[in-house]
Amino acid sequence: MSFASLPAFNEAHPPFADSIDVMPPIRTESGTVGTVIVEPIDFDLVHDPAYPWEKMPTATPREREARDQVRNNQRAEVAQYIVSRERLWELAQRLQFAERLEVEVTHTQGIETTHEETETRTRTEVIGLTLGLELSGNLFSPGGGGKAAAARLFKGARAQTSAEFTYELTNELQFQKMDSQTYRRETSITTRTEYAAQAVYYVWQLSEALQLSRKRTDSEISPVSDIVAATGFTWTDKLSYAPPPEVAQ
């Protein structure tokens, strides 16, 4: 199936099956929840592997000059960074039983991460750590960014954080308290469900992704980092069918 043939994302529900003879798509297209633009004034808050100036040594004048050159190159070559949040439906399971049966069904929730301390960090820290963003204030508290200090000492360079940075991130990307477990280490959730005979069950899961992209001054956009997350929300679509009639011998 080509990408162009994928159904559009519908926040209300996944695609519904209407024929036992036609397999549903494995996913929908992504729907954009919101985007936030990081302007050059906030570039010191972005850890871009293409411009690793904050990790460079500064013990000697030559080292500081080399570090400053990389930092200046970032500002000369990058117009802005884009933080986007998208959602999509993914087909997690396809179930069918010959008889009425109660079975255990398992789906995953959370993010795949190499950060072992994910469980002890706040959602703000997890997102910032994984995407490479220095998030001042509380990402999930409207106005938190405005109450945070507008400047941060960053290895000799002062990051002039715009007062609305985290406030916009919260509101434009529509983060809510219910998103808490979405940004924890991936876990398995098992439930017991009763299924009827002569029916196919398509289990859909709502997934989402946060992506940090780099837009260069020539308008080229390329990914920097992302977080792919499985939410705890699933939708089971039931399609009943009649078995083919028996052929008389």
Side-chain angles (χ1 to χ4, degrees):
M1 176 177 293
S2 65
F3 182 81
S5 64
L6 293 176
F9 173 73
N10 184 338
E11 181 82 29
H13 59 76
F16 293 143
D18 55 14
S19 172
I20 189 66
D21 298 316
V22 179
M23 281 290 293
I26 60 173
R27 50 158 289 189
T28 66
E29 290 185 341
S30 297
T32 300
V33 178
T35 59
V36 174
I37 303 301
V38 183
E39 300 292 355
I41 191 175
D42 290 319
F43 278 9
D44 286 348
L45 302 177
V46 179
H47 297 276
D48 186 342
Y51 303 95
W53 60 268
E54 75 276 6
K55 296 181 180 180
M56 298 174 67
T58 57
T60 68
R62 185 180 295 274
E63 289 176 341
R64 289 192 291 273
E65 181 180 353
R67 189 277 307 270
D68 291 343
Q69 184 60 56
V70 173
R71 184 168 177 263
N72 292 336
N73 289 344
Q74 180 186 29
R75 281 151 178 74
E77 298 169 2
V78 179
Q80 56 189 203
Y81 288 93
I82 305 169
V83 182
S84 61
R85 185 184 186 190
E86 298 185 339
R87 290 199 184 107
L88 70 154
W89 289 103
E90 294 185 298
L91 184 60
Q93 296 185 71
R94 178 175 181 267
L95 303 167
Q96 187 276 333
F97 303 98
E99 299 178 352
R100 189 180 187 91
L101 192 65
E102 183 177 291
V103 298
E104 289 188 346
V105 177
T106 301
H107 68 272
T108 58
Q109 176 181 354
I111 62 175
E112 293 184 4
T113 177
T114 57
H115 305 301
E116 295 182 358
E117 68 274 24
T118 298
E119 292 301 322
T120 62
R121 289 181 177 269
T122 65
R123 288 164 290 176
T124 306
E125 292 171 331
V126 170
I127 291 173
L129 181 66
T130 309
L131 285 185
L133 292 173
E134 291 285 336
L135 301 176
S136 61
N138 183 353
L139 173 62
F140 300 94
S141 175
K147 298 174 183 177
R152 177 180 179 275
L153 194 62
F154 198 163
K155 289 191 176 181
R158 184 166 296 278
Q160 299 177 357
T161 312
S162 63
E164 297 300 315
F165 184 72
T166 54
Y167 178 78
E168 289 181 358
L169 199 61
T170 302
N171 285 266
E172 296 299 328
L173 301 191
Q174 301 180 33
F175 279 104
Q176 302 174 17
K177 291 182 178 179
M178 64 191 306
D179 297 313
S180 177
Q181 293 305 314
T182 300
Y183 291 91
R184 296 298 188 196
R185 182 182 295 276
E186 192 174 78
T187 57
S188 295
I189 301 174
T190 301
T191 58
R192 292 194 65 83
T193 306
E194 188 174 272
Y195 293 94
Q198 298 181 15
V200 180
Y201 295 84
Y202 299 104
V203 182
W204 293 87
Q205 183 157 19
L206 186 63
S207 298
E208 67 173 56
L210 281 176
Q211 184 173 75
L212 174 66
S213 301
R214 176 196 315 111
K215 183 177 182 180
R216 296 190 179 276
T217 51
D218 61 3
S219 297
E220 176 190 353
I221 298 178
S222 54
V224 176
S225 58
D226 64 10
I227 304 175
V228 179
T231 74
F233 189 82
T234 59
W235 183 299
T236 301
D237 178 27
K238 176 184 177 183
L239 178 65
S240 298
Y241 65 92
E246 295 183 1
V247 179
Q249 299 294 328

